[in-house]
Amino acid sequence: MADLQALVDALTESKREVVEQVVSLTQAAMDQEVDAREILQDGLIAGMNALGVRFKAGEAFIPEVFMGARAMNAGVELLQPKLIEAGVQPKATVVLGTVKGDMHDIGKNLVGMMLKGAGLKVVDIGTDAAPEKFVEACQAEGAAVCAMSALLTTTMPRMGDVIKACKDAGLDVKTLIGGAPITQAYADEIGADGFAPDAASAADKAKELSGV
Ligand code: B1M
């Protein structure tokens, strides 16, 4: 019997050797012919969720989350052919970017990793992204959620511009915002559908907003 709990534990603890551990535990589960969806859901995603909980509680830090995300990506890569065979599709698509005028991307990248860890497809449009770029990507990808990051008080207002551009384009998309200066009060003020204070909460919120 494959030990998916060991996979969950390796990701939750996210120690220095987590990438090697996850690759070898994923391979072992595949060798024992455990269903790829089970390995993904009950091993990799469950482990990343647990690491997210530790991160939110201040028990794990950015390096552990980055390593965990790298390990998760390595595991998913290994599983990919089996997942395709099993017809596994991401649950929903999130377009993610840092708004116009803002080059900060460390937090955004962390959010992207947690979203992927939650089984969502992430279309990362990078930094300094104009409202039209968000709209085009949401249209092209049929995104359920348009997610924006801003780190500067001077670029926060660009989030309102993106929300307006999505509405003007008639998009059926929920908007999610976050970043160091952003608060729930600000989200309410500009009419965003959701706010998340950190990467793990962003994944929870994106799932809630996309209804998956
Ligand atoms: Co900049 N910078 N920076 N900077 N920088 C800050 C943000 C600043 C607070 C530093 C300071 O003065 N104390 C300050 C902003 C002040 C303000 O507006 N109130 C500042 C400034 C002023 C500037 C420049 C203007 C400096 C200058 O040139 N004079 C300039 C602006 C450039 C630009 O963007 N146009 C600038 C440049 C840079 C660097 C390029 C040097 C570098 C960025 C490198 C990069 O990102 N690739 C940089 C850095 C590293 C920082 C600090 C030190 C760290 C930011 C960071 O990555 N934190 C920052 C000071 C600080 O925060 N202590 C600072 C770690 C990251 C994991 O956290 O991004 O907050 P964070 O993400 C969190 C949450 O906010 C949340 O989840 C993440 C983790 O859980 N979150 C979301 C983020 N996005 C989310 C989206 C969501 C939900 C949650 O939903 C979609």
Side-chain angles (χ1 to χ4, degrees):
M1 186 58 198
D3 193 358
L4 292 184
Q5 189 55 46
L7 198 49
V8 175
D9 292 344
L11 278 164
T12 310
E13 287 157 28
S14 196
K15 299 220 167 96
R16 189 190 299 268
E17 57 284 2
V18 63
V19 177
E20 293 78 6
Q21 286 176 325
V22 165
V23 166
S24 105
L25 289 163
T26 302
Q27 187 61 58
M30 288 167 72
D31 292 345
Q32 291 173 46
E33 301 195 347
V34 179
D35 189 297
R37 288 164 293 193
E38 208 180 310
I39 303 175
L40 179 69
Q41 200 58 49
D42 301 341
L44 297 172
I45 292 180
M48 271 310 279
N49 283 343
L51 179 57
V53 170
R54 288 189 61 222
F55 180 57
K56 256 200 258 184
E59 291 165 8
F61 302 95
I62 290 168
E64 280 112 306
V65 177
F66 271 116
M67 286 303 287
R70 268 182 57 192
M72 160 120 192
N73 284 337
V76 171
E77 206 171 298
L78 208 57
L79 270 183
Q80 196 85 12
K82 295 272 178 209
L83 290 173
I84 291 167
E85 258 173 49
V88 175
Q89 301 286 343
K91 295 173 197 152
T93 300
V94 180
V95 163
L96 171 67
T98 302
V99 294
K100 181 94 188 131
D102 201 322
M103 309 307 291
H104 295 86
D105 68 355
I106 299 170
K108 168 186 71 65
N109 294 344
L110 212 47
V111 169
M113 289 172 183
M114 296 306 292
L115 293 173
K116 284 186 197 162
L120 297 161
K121 176 179 172 188
V122 178
V123 178
D124 189 333
I125 59 168
T127 58
D128 190 25
E132 315 80 76
K133 198 166 175 187
F134 279 98
V135 169
E136 278 162 25
C138 287
Q139 268 165 342
E141 300 288 339
V145 179
C146 177
M148 296 157 254
S149 179
L151 265 285
L152 301 170
T153 44
T154 50
T155 58
M156 287 163 64
R158 303 290 76 77
M159 294 175 145
D161 298 346
V162 176
I163 293 170
K164 182 175 181 308
C166 288
K167 284 198 179 126
D168 290 349
L171 287 182
D172 179 21
V173 71
K174 300 284 185 196
T175 50
L176 171 63
I177 66 170
I182 310 300
T183 58
Q184 181 62 56
Y186 189 68
D188 295 341
E189 188 187 320
I190 64 171
D193 296 304
F195 155 74
D198 55 60
S201 315
D204 293 340
K205 201 73 195 174
K207 281 197 285 184
E208 182 191 315
L209 290 175
S210 58
V212 297

